Amino acid sequence: MRFIDYFKKFRDAYVINQVKHIKIPNFDLSPIVRKKLRFSGRVQKVGFRLETYELAKRLNLTGWVKNTLDKNVEAEIQGETDKINFLITYKIIKKGICS
């Protein structure tokens, strides 16, 4: 296995562990919505997609997240409004990026 592969495994394990320690508030029931998001800035090769995926999974949200050719990340997320807003707020505060 190449060094870069070990590094990616280590990074992924680190990202997953960090997401496990995010304090998730108790949410009241809110309407189900679907939102399309576009994140820009330094979002590729830093575990951004994995972190978004793992946090969405913890929040019981569905959808997809992918890199774009212009080095941004797109996501389409469906679930309760308050949970999606928490995910967006967390990503903005942590990474300082979203559009």
Side-chain angles (χ1 to χ4, degrees):
M1 187 179 268
R2 298 177 318 168
F3 173 76
I4 194 75
D5 296 327
Y6 284 112
F7 175 76
K8 287 178 182 178
K9 283 182 103 171
F10 176 77
R11 180 199 62 204
D12 291 353
Y14 175 80
V15 168
I16 291 168
N17 187 53
Q18 291 296 317
V19 172
K20 285 181 183 176
H21 290 91
I22 295 171
K23 184 174 166 90
I24 305 290
N26 292 323
F27 295 98
D28 292 330
L29 288 176
S30 60
I32 304 263
V33 296
R34 187 165 192 89
K35 291 190 178 188
K36 187 167 187 174
L37 309 170
R38 183 174 182 83
F39 298 96
S40 59
R42 187 165 182 222
V43 294
Q44 290 194 15
K45 307 229 187 272
V46 292
F48 188 88
R49 274 184 310 133
L50 179 60
E51 182 183 57
T52 303
Y53 168 79
E54 290 293 328
L55 182 54
K57 191 166 69 170
R58 281 198 61 205
L59 293 167
N60 294 317
L61 302 172
T62 60
W64 50 263
V65 59
K66 69 177 183 178
N67 289 339
T68 62
L69 294 176
D70 60 357
K71 298 189 178 182
N72 294 314
V73 171
E74 285 184 350
E76 193 165 304
I77 302 171
Q78 180 173 310
E80 293 181 42
T81 305
D82 291 343
K83 291 180 179 182
I84 292 175
N85 290 338
F86 175 82
L87 182 138
I88 294 168
T89 302
Y90 175 81
K91 299 304 279 185
I92 290 171
I93 289 170
K94 183 162 192 243
K95 302 292 183 186
I97 45 181
C98 185
S99 59

